[in-house]
Amino acid sequence: MKVKYKMKLIKQQNITISNPETKKFLADAFYPESGEKLPLLIFVHGYKGYKDWGAWNLMAEKFAKSGFFFVKFNFSHNGTTIDDPHNFADLEAFGNNNYSKELSDLGAVIDYFIKDSKVDDQKVVLIGHSRGGGISIVKTFGDERINGLITLASVDSLERFPKGDDLEKWKKRGVYYVLNGRTKQEMPHYYQFYEDFEKNNVLFDVERAAEMAKVHFLIVHGTKDESVNVKSADHLHILNPNSELFLIENADHTFGAKEPWEATELPNDLKKATEKCIEFINQKIVNE
């Protein structure tokens, strides 16, 4: 059953979250004015992503209008800053990012919003895009407060590093650079990223976490994803046969969205993905 709220939509944007393990970062909350406690949905962005990228604000509005308390946030080391959340203004922070910091930030976001008087703390769902999907899977396995998991174009492994000679060059130089095709910035990755992964490789085992996850689990992927092959979605579904697999024919990695997104409507594929998520959450978590 789809719940439509005609009440006022509240948008609290650029809320400062403090995480003593990393640093301060920003989050947004979109929700309907309601006397009821609302399910908490937390959106986790991916690599080279941020909370205001593309059509994420329109997606947030659609979830909120359907009766959810929807949160999106910037990882503390995603390259954006408190003062400039729309650009990669801090490449040093970007280079010093790692999965431990992202898991810590996600925990801080849950801690902050689960206490909100408008939130039903028994209905908490993570929605992770791309690399954020892998982080969400790992977090879900390790945090019993989470009741639902949705991945959008998710990776099925966080072991996505240079190999062989390239890995040796990275270790020797201490840094390698990736060109951001949109901004044309050379974005650094310091070797500490790999060292952190190696030190915590059991914790960051997405396959094991997906297999062991005991929550309601929806896997959404486009069949023409150019960044993360649709085989990753099939693999996650095989690992967790209790999950639901929803493929969108010909959809790309961002479900038709791009930065900037200047239209007032969601792209069709992202609209399909969002509507499926809403239906899934209502069926499995709200009305169970």
Side-chain angles (χ1 to χ4, degrees), residues 146-165:
I146 299 162
N147 316 102
L149 170 64
I150 296 173
T151 59
L152 303 175
S154 178
V155 299
D156 58 353
S157 170
L158 289 172
E159 192 169 359
R160 298 168 72 84
F161 297 102
K163 291 181 170 62
D165 288 346

Side-chain angles (χ1 to χ4, degrees), residues 63-111:
F63 275 111
K65 286 174 183 173
S66 297
F68 302 120
F69 192 106
F70 185 91
V71 171
K72 55 190 176 71
F73 68 99
N74 285 332
F75 280 120
S76 64
H77 286 67
N78 74 345
T80 65
T81 66
I82 298 282
D83 298 323
D84 192 357
H86 299 95
N87 295 291
F88 297 118
D90 189 349
L91 291 180
E92 190 66 14
F94 183 91
N96 280 299
N97 194 18
N98 58 46
Y99 298 141
S100 290
K101 288 173 182 171
E102 292 194 350
L103 273 180
S104 178
D105 289 340
L106 179 51
V109 171
I110 298 170
D111 292 344

Side-chain angles (χ1 to χ4, degrees), residues 116-155:
D116 194 292
S117 61
K118 296 171 283 295
V119 161
D120 184 342
D121 64 7
Q122 298 302 304
K123 293 173 182 172
V124 179
V125 181
L126 299 186
I127 305 174
H129 177 250
S130 192
R131 189 170 98 183
I135 293 293
S136 297
I137 292 168
V138 169
K139 183 63 178 169
T140 297
F141 172 57
D143 194 327
E144 62 185 15
R145 297 174 296 178
I146 299 162
N147 316 102
L149 170 64
I150 296 173
T151 59
L152 303 175
S154 178
V155 299

Side-chain angles (χ1 to χ4, degrees), residues 28 30 43-46 49-63 70 72-73 129-130 152 253-255 257-259 261 266-267 270 274:
D28 301 337
F30 289 57
F43 177 72
V44 185
H45 72 72
Y50 48 97
K51 69 179 179 63
D52 297 305
W53 185 93
W56 297 149
N57 277 321
L58 290 174
M59 183 179 74
E61 288 178 13
K62 189 168 181 66
F63 275 111
F70 185 91
K72 55 190 176 71
F73 68 99
H129 177 250
S130 192
L152 303 175
H253 188 57
T254 55
F255 303 95
K258 60 182 182 179
E259 172 63 26
W261 184 256
L266 284 169
L270 187 53
T274 304

Side-chain angles (χ1 to χ4, degrees), residues 162-172:
K163 291 181 170 62
D165 288 346
D166 289 333
L167 180 60
E168 284 305 310
K169 286 177 187 172
W170 187 18
K171 183 177 182 179
K172 187 176 179 182

